[in-house]
Amino acid sequence: MTAPARLIAVESVSKRYVTSSGPVEALHDVSLTVSEGEFCTLIGPSGCGKSTLLGMLGGLVYPESGRILVDARPVTGPDPGRAATVFQDPGLFPWRTVLENVEFGLELAGSAAARRRSIATALLGPLGLKGFAEKYPRELSGGMKQRVAIGRALAIDAKILLMDEPFGALDEQTRVLMGEWLLDIWRRTRKTVIFVTHSLHEALFLSTRIAVMTARPGRIKSVLELPMDYPRSMESPELVALRAKLWGEIREESLRAMQ
Ligand SMILES: Nc1ncnc2c1ncn2[C@@H]1O[C@H](COP(=O)(O)OP(=O)(O)O)[C@@H](O)[C@H]1O
Ligand SMILES: [Mg+2]
C-alpha cells in the first residue's frame, strides 16, 4: 500500500490580533501536516488558537507569518471545493426546511435546482434524517440540527471538513452517539477531517492523530498517533494508556491557561 498523500501543510504559522487592550498572540510558530483521509483532532485550552487555525485553513483568517498549503497551493481565501466548516452552533436558516438547509451551499455555488435537490435527498439517509426533509429546524433535536449542518457541509463535497467543537452544545449521551455517527460518515466519505474538541473521549474514539496545543500563544505541544482500528473499545489497555498520557498533557496546559 502506498502512503496517503499529504494534503495540508501548516508551515510556521503565527497570528497576532490587535485589540483595543493591546496585541494578543494567538498562535506562535505552528507547523502541522495532515494526510489525505486523516481524522486529525486539535485539543488544547480555551483561547489557545484552535478556532484561529481552523479559520486559516478555511481561508477566513490570514496568518501573520508562515503559510498554509492545501494540495501544495497556498490558501489565500475561502474555496468551497477545498474546505467546509461546521461550528458548534449549527447556524441553520429557520425559514428553510431540512432539505433546503442541506442544499444551501450548493445553491451558493450556483448548482442547478434539480441537481442540488438530488444531492441533498441522497444525503438524508446517511444523515439519519429520512422522513425529515420537509421539517423546519425548530422541529428538530439538537443532534438532528447538527446533522443538518454537517449535511450542508457534505453536500458541497469539499475535500476537507473543518469541525470546530461541533458537538460542544449537545448533552453527553447525544454526543457519544453523534461521535459514532460521525465515525461512520467519515469512513464512508473518506473526507479529511480537522476536528476541534475538548472531549478526550471524542478525540480518542475518532482520531487518527491528536495534536495537543499549548496554552496561548498556541503551539503544537505534541502529536499522538492512534493506529488502532475502528470502532474502538475505549476500555482497551492501549486507549486507557493513551487517555492518561493525553490528559497529563492537557492538564498541564489547562493549568497554565488558568494562571
Ligand atoms: N477576531 C479576533 N480579534 C481579537 N482577538 C481574537 C479574535 N479572534 C480570536 N481572538 C483571540 O485570540 C485568542 C485565540 O482565540 P481562538 O482561536 O478563538 O481560540 P480557541 O478556539 O482555542 O478557544 C483568544 O485570546 C481570543 O480572544
Ligand atoms: Mg474556539
Side-chain angles (χ1 to χ4, degrees), residues 120-140:
T121 305
L123 273 169
L124 292 181
L127 291 172
L129 292 167
K130 256 198 173 136
F132 290 85
E134 301 307 319
K135 300 276 187 215
Y136 286 87
R138 64 174 179 275
E139 301 174 274
L140 307 178

Side-chain angles (χ1 to χ4, degrees), residues 143-166:
M144 285 173 149
K145 282 185 202 160
Q146 203 49 285
R147 293 203 298 274
V148 175
I150 294 170
R152 186 176 54 194
L154 290 172
I156 54 179
D157 204 23
K159 271 193 162 179
I160 304 169
L161 209 49
L162 302 169
M163 308 190 83
D164 198 347
E165 303 189 44

Side-chain angles (χ1 to χ4, degrees), residues 8-11 30-34 40 42 53 194 209 211 220 223:
I8 301 170
V10 178
E11 296 182 344
V30 169
S31 296
L32 183 71
T33 58
V34 181
C40 180
L42 304 174
L53 188 52
I194 312 290
R209 273 191 312 154
I220 304 291
V223 177

Side-chain angles (χ1 to χ4, degrees), residues 46-47 49-52 164-165 196 198:
S46 292
K50 303 177 296 294
S51 296
T52 298
D164 198 347
E165 303 189 44
V196 172
H198 286 285

